[in-house]
Each structure stands twice: as C-alpha cells, then as structure tokens.
Amino acid sequence: MKRISTIFIILVFFVFTGCSLTVGKFDANTHFAYPNSNITPLGHVKVATSKSSILIPPDITYNDVKELIDKGMAQKPGADLIINYKVDTTVTSYLGLFYSLEITLQGTAVKMEVGEKELQETIKKSRY
C-alpha cells in the first residue's frame, strides 16, 4: 500500500509540473508609416491568441501574426497601424509532452493621414 501511495504521489507531481518561457519584443510600428504624415493616437489595444499541441511545440505562422495585428486594429475603428507595440510569446510545457503557446500584442492604435505638415510654421514657433 505504501508503494502505491508513493507511485501515486510521484505521478501527481509529474502531472502538475510544467515549465514556462516568455520571450518579448518591442518595435516602433506594425506597418510602414509614410514620411510627413499626421499620426493621431486612438488608444491602447491588447489582443492575445493561443495554440496547443502534443509532442511538438506549436509554431507561429505569418497568419497568426497578421490575425493579431488585425484584431488589435479592429479594437479602435479607423486605425491604420499600431505603434510602440510589444509582443510577448509564452510557451508552457507539461512533462515535455503537452505544449501551450500564447502570443500577446499590445500597443497604441493610430490613424495616419498622409499629407503635408506645415514644417516652416513649426520652425518659426520654436525659433530655431
């Protein structure tokens, strides 16, 4: 009976044992920002997606990243890109057999109006 209890405790320990690794990245913007364009902040956005698999850790595809960016911009109507964004990727392994992957994107959604800024006015105001 003692042997069965010990085996049970060891099995429970392994079942509830996991390892997580989080990797992050900062970047300036998700899309090309045209020079001399007017950028209007619309607000903070945060979106996440997750995947899981058995035996082989799930991978991140181009479509996963595109879906995250599209969901983030959809939170603020009229958004053209996300600036000062951060992407965190967390991979969790349970017993080396089961894997969970979570990707989180957060940043500032902005509207971009391509046009001409009055640079001479700015220079005059700053007395440069």
Side-chain angles (χ1 to χ4, degrees):
M1 187 68 175
K2 186 175 182 180
R3 183 178 229 176
I4 294 173
S5 297
T6 305
I7 292 172
F8 179 74
I9 289 172
I10 291 172
L11 286 175
V12 168
F13 174 76
F14 279 115
V15 168
F16 291 107
T17 300
C19 178
S20 285
L21 173 67
T22 301
V23 179
K25 174 189 172 188
F26 294 98
D27 211 345
N29 50 334
T30 56
H31 296 80
F32 178 75
Y34 289 99
N36 207 23
S37 61
N38 298 312
I39 303 291
T40 306
L42 300 175
H44 184 76
V45 295
K46 182 176 181 180
V47 291
T49 187
S50 62
K51 292 178 161 183
S52 53
S53 68
I54 299 173
L55 296 179
I56 299 171
D59 59 343
I60 302 169
T61 64
Y62 169 79
N63 290 333
D64 295 332
V65 175
K66 184 169 177 8
E67 180 183 330
L68 267 180
I69 293 170
D70 291 344
K71 283 182 181 178
M73 289 192 306
Q75 286 184 359
K76 301 294 179 181
D80 295 312
L81 63 139
I82 299 174
I83 62 169
N84 302 327
Y85 74 95
K86 173 184 169 186
V87 177
D88 287 327
T89 306
T90 302
V91 178
T92 304
S93 169
Y94 302 97
L95 297 175
L97 299 174
F98 307 102
Y99 293 92
S100 171
L101 172 88
E102 182 179 29
I103 310 165
T104 306
L105 174 123
Q106 56 184 330
T108 305
V110 298
K111 180 179 174 110
M112 177 176 54
E113 294 178 44
V114 179
E116 295 182 16
K117 289 184 181 179
E118 295 296 328
L119 298 178
Q120 291 300 326
E121 286 296 319
T122 306
I123 291 172
K124 287 178 186 176
K125 285 181 183 177
S126 65
R127 299 175 193 210
Y128 193 51

